[in-house]
Amino acid sequence: MRVLVTGGAGFIGSHVVEELLAQGHEPVVLDLRRPEREDVPWIGADLRDRVALAGALRGVAAVCHQAAMVGLGKDFADAPGYVSVNDHGTALLLAEMAEAGVGRLVLAGSMVVYGEGRYDCPAHGRVRPGPRAPGNLARGRFEPACPECGAELLPGLVGEDAPADPRNVYATTKLAQEHLAAAWARATGGRAISLRYHNVYGDRMPRDTPYAGVAAFFRSALAAGRPPRVFEDGAQRRDFVHVTDVAAANVAALGAVGERPAGTLRAYNTGSGEPHTVGEMAAALAAACGGPAPEVTGEYRLGDVRHITASSARLRAELGWRPRVGFAEGMTAFATSPLREPAAAS
């Protein structure tokens, strides 16, 4: 199958391209950056270039949409850029897909659409805490409390049917991407799958940029001989999933999306299923690098959530996907894997 991979020269996209080749598919890359592989057709263009999109879509059977402006960013001044690339760019892509008659889409979604994850109160059962108050964060009170009684909550695994509650600009744009894809599917009879990535890490992550994930922040620090700086108290729970497993999930979704009912979008959490804290991840990387121990700073960012970990049971049951890289193995490999220079959003 000939597949257009937007952002196919980037961190995740380049691994998707390699997995597609390994499974006998024909990837075509649309990206501002030239792919490292010279045996893959490349359209060097911005996602918002409609002429380039129209040309890139000729002869393809499906689109794997990875291009995005990612991360929490620096401040709200980044909002126009996020909306322009992630939402306007996705709308242009979908419009050109409709024009070209390409009816299969796999979207790089994100767990950030949930906001805070799943919580249970001993007295009130399943609850949804609101945004954390700046005053509490400044006092080092990082755990969200029960909105009914103020009791400490027990975090759990969030499923795809949990209500969306984006807490920052990036999260808002990722939810909008899903709504745009669902509207495209209904209007055209297309079929879409959104893979809601959890914390993806691995080789080729960009170095030294505020738009990367926390794993890249820590690796960049260790490569420079500095200790990783862990915000809050380091007890934030996340699901760290290796990029090769995410690439395999994309190829599995491309194989399954054609069997979905016409006019629908289906979301799948894409995580390892093994929750770990941010502090544990920093310590594992520091130990594997032989670098300085992490520093827990107590700093915080208002757009961050406390705990978000996935249940990937739906992806496993319906698409037959299984993660292959465990936490210890993956962090050991990532400690010495190459990082990349950051590139402009594509």
Side-chain angles (χ1 to χ4, degrees):
M1 178 167 58
R2 189 172 175 87
V3 180
L4 174 64
V5 184
T6 68
F11 165 45
I12 298 175
S14 63
H15 286 276
V16 172
V17 167
E18 290 187 352
E19 185 71 15
L20 283 167
L21 289 168
Q23 298 298 324
H25 298 289
E26 300 176 40
V28 178
V29 169
L30 181 118
D31 202 309
L32 287 170
R33 183 197 290 253
R34 181 184 293 274
E36 293 181 1
R37 298 190 63 129
E38 297 183 354
D39 58 343
V40 176
W42 170 56
I43 297 93
D46 189 282
L47 176 65
R48 295 158 292 185
D49 184 336
R50 293 194 71 162
V51 174
L53 282 172
L57 287 165
R58 293 192 189 104
V60 308
V63 173
C64 188
H65 183 27
Q66 306 293 318
M69 185 172 176
V70 301
L72 191 56
K74 293 177 287 188
D75 53 39
F76 198 80
D78 286 328
Y82 277 105
V83 173
S84 177
V85 174
N86 295 357
D87 297 337
H88 183 55
T90 297
L92 292 173
L93 170 66
L94 294 170
E96 291 301 326
M97 289 176 65
E99 182 70 20
V102 179
R104 301 180 187 182
L105 172 72
V106 174
L107 172 68
S110 176
M111 54 82 180
V112 295
V113 301
Y114 299 117
E116 289 285 353
R118 169 187 158 181
Y119 291 91
D120 291 293
C121 171
H124 296 97
R126 188 71 47 81
V127 296
R128 292 189 58 79
R132 297 184 293 171
N136 287 340
L137 295 171
R139 290 189 292 271
R141 295 171 57 185
F142 302 121
E143 293 288 346
C146 175
E148 300 291 333
C149 66
E152 183 175 340
L153 299 175
L154 179 66
L157 301 180
V158 65
E160 291 87 351
D161 295 329
D165 186 17
R167 300 287 175 91
N168 56 58
V169 171
Y170 171 62
T172 302
T173 65
K174 295 306 289 184
L175 181 59
Q177 282 186 310
E178 288 195 359
H179 287 315
L180 285 166
W184 161 82
R186 287 192 296 271
T188 65
R191 297 164 168 86
I193 284 176
S194 177
L195 297 175
R196 291 176 175 170
Y197 302 159
H198 282 247
N199 288 72
V200 187
Y201 72 97
D203 59 295
R204 302 177 210 156
M205 289 192 86
R207 69 170 76 245
D208 299 323
T209 167
Y211 303 99
V214 67
F217 294 164
F218 293 164
R219 268 285 280 112
S220 295
L222 288 162
R226 302 189 306 268
R229 293 175 58 83
V230 180
F231 281 15
E232 301 186 18
D233 59 0
Q236 310 95 302
R237 287 161 54 96
R238 296 290 188 269
D239 186 318
F240 300 101
V241 58
H242 197 268
V243 66
T244 57
D245 287 330
V246 170
N250 273 273
V251 177
L254 283 164
V257 68
E259 305 303 317
R260 297 285 311 145
T264 63
L265 178 144
R266 182 81 163 157
Y268 293 92
N269 287 335
T270 307
S272 70
E274 300 179 21
H276 290 274
T277 69
V278 172
E280 288 173 342
M281 190 264 284
L285 277 180
C289 287
E295 290 182 0
V296 179
T297 70
E299 296 173 85
Y300 62 89
R301 301 187 298 180
L302 286 178
D304 278 336
V305 297
R306 180 60 174 173
H307 304 296
I308 176 68
T309 53
S311 168
S312 297
R314 177 186 289 182
L315 181 59
R316 295 175 184 232
E318 295 185 9
L319 271 64
W321 173 86
R322 295 289 186 279
R324 298 168 293 193
V325 182
F327 179 79
E329 173 193 355
M331 289 298 162
T332 299
F334 181 51
T336 56
S337 63
L339 300 180
R340 301 174 69 178
E341 294 302 319
S346 56

